[in-house]
Amino acid sequence: MNSALRNKIIQICDQKIGQKGDGVGVSFYAFFANRNDDPALLMQAATWWIQTHELDHFEKAVKIKKMVQDEL
């Protein structure tokens, strides 16, 4: 996963956690606009989420943030 996507995931998770608390769930779609303006980046996130880690559609934002940070 490239550093821009990693930073975006952490930022969005922090934002969601700040708004709704530690129990908030996210999907990999949460890191993208409603339109698919960067298909390569979307596929990178989907591959990391679905193929690499076999995550459910929705996961806790705190879990995703920790996973991304642990990969640094």
Side-chain angles (χ1 to χ4, degrees), residues 3-31:
S3 62
L5 180 56
R6 184 180 332 269
N7 292 338
K8 186 172 191 171
I9 289 172
I10 292 169
Q11 174 191 8
I12 297 296
C13 285
D14 282 341
Q15 177 185 359
K16 298 283 186 188
I17 294 165
Q19 291 171 342
K20 298 187 179 186
D22 287 345
V24 67
V26 294
S27 78
F28 67 89
Y29 290 114
F31 313 120

Side-chain angles (χ1 to χ4, degrees), residues 14-65:
D14 282 341
Q15 177 185 359
K16 298 283 186 188
I17 294 165
Q19 291 171 342
K20 298 187 179 186
D22 287 345
V24 67
V26 294
S27 78
F28 67 89
Y29 290 114
F31 313 120
F32 298 92
N34 287 335
R35 64 189 188 291
N36 188 3
D37 57 356
D38 193 343
L41 197 60
L42 177 63
M43 286 306 298
Q44 188 180 133
T47 299
W48 181 88
W49 192 284
I50 298 167
Q51 289 183 325
T52 304
H53 295 287
E54 299 179 349
L55 298 170
D56 290 336
H57 185 74
F58 282 97
E59 293 287 350
K60 301 290 184 198
V62 292
K63 174 183 177 179
I64 298 302
K65 179 182 173 185

